Amino acid sequence: MVLTDYYTEDEAGLRFTRQQASLFAKEIAGDFNPLHNQDAKLFCVPGDLLFAVTLAKYGLSQKMCFTFSGMVGDGTPLQYQEQTEHELRLVDGQEKNCLQIERHGQISHDSTLIKDFTRRYVEFSGKNFLQVLVPLMSQEGVMINPDRPLVIYQQMSIDLQRLDIEHPSLELTDTITNIEGKKGDVRMRFCLKSGSQVVGEGEKRMALRGIREFDQADMNRMVESYIGYQRAHSA
């Protein structure tokens, strides 16, 4: 993974084209959320790409929390602002906060560790729809709008016991679902491993919008559409 292939940086700040953001989602994260399609009417840069760029620039801290404040569009110039020793913000030209990062503990700038950790996390994150969300929605008897599926990345946190990590990997340990009317959120807890040893834990939180009663035919249609995006990209 050559991360600089997926963004542009100059004196105006960071920018992401639709092509760059969409390729990262599909080729690196394996994420076929229609929000990241190049031709999507409602398009946004993947949160995992913002996560990856942040780690590349500021290193991997033992404790980190990423809070996403809104969807980032293509071509929007972004700048990092260091608020305090422990707080960063990624803002647009109007000083609107797009991403807030809290970090504590020791920091590693080891490029191999950061690349490996980033790759393993975004691969884990990108598989959430089919492997986690679809079974959960079926279990809860609800689903998102199949004609306008809206799943929004809200927050991600990690807590590492140490940073001398080799062969990092992530495993899902628990899921928590909260549904209120047409809105809901899902929290996915995971453990982080160095080889076979658990060295930390983390959590990813996503918002679901347009929730309705579960319908198997509509769910099948949505899953088939998602798989169709995968097949079209592979072809």
Side-chain angles (χ1 to χ4, degrees), residues 52-187:
V53 173
T54 301
L55 288 196
K57 288 184 170 296
Y58 291 94
L60 173 65
S61 297
Q62 282 182 279
K63 294 184 178 182
M64 303 189 80
C65 181
F66 296 77
T67 302
F68 301 89
S69 303
M71 295 191 293
V72 175
D74 60 301
T76 302
L78 304 171
Q79 295 273 2
Y80 283 100
Q81 293 180 348
E82 297 191 45
Q83 301 296 103
T84 69
E85 179 185 359
H86 302 295
E87 293 182 26
L88 294 168
R89 291 199 313 158
L90 187 61
V91 302
D92 64 16
Q94 284 71 50
E95 296 288 311
K96 179 184 176 182
N97 190 25
C98 300
L99 171 64
Q100 183 169 330
I101 306 107
E102 296 180 28
R103 51 186 185 153
H104 300 273
Q106 296 181 351
I107 303 175
S108 173
H109 293 280
D110 183 305
S111 60
T112 299
L113 168 61
I114 290 171
K115 287 178 182 178
D116 288 348
F117 187 89
T118 299
R119 184 99 191 206
R120 297 290 84 78
Y121 174 74
V122 300
E123 288 174 349
F124 166 83
S125 180
K127 296 174 182 176
N128 292 158
F129 181 72
L130 289 181
Q131 297 187 2
V132 179
L133 290 181
V134 169
L136 272 179
M137 289 189 286
S138 176
Q139 178 182 314
E140 294 289 333
V142 297
M143 63 182 293
I144 54 178
N145 185 346
D147 298 314
R148 193 171 179 264
L150 194 55
V151 178
I152 304 169
Y153 196 170
Q154 287 188 314
Q155 192 176 77
M156 176 271 198
S157 61
I158 54 174
D159 186 349
L160 297 168
Q161 299 164 12
R162 54 187 174 85
L163 291 172
D164 56 333
I165 299 172
E166 297 180 351
H167 309 298
S169 62
L170 294 86
E171 292 182 7
L172 184 69
T173 57
D174 193 18
T175 55
I176 300 172
T177 308
N178 179 40
I179 305 295
E180 295 183 0
K182 294 184 178 181
K183 296 182 180 181
D185 66 65
V186 175
R187 294 158 59 191

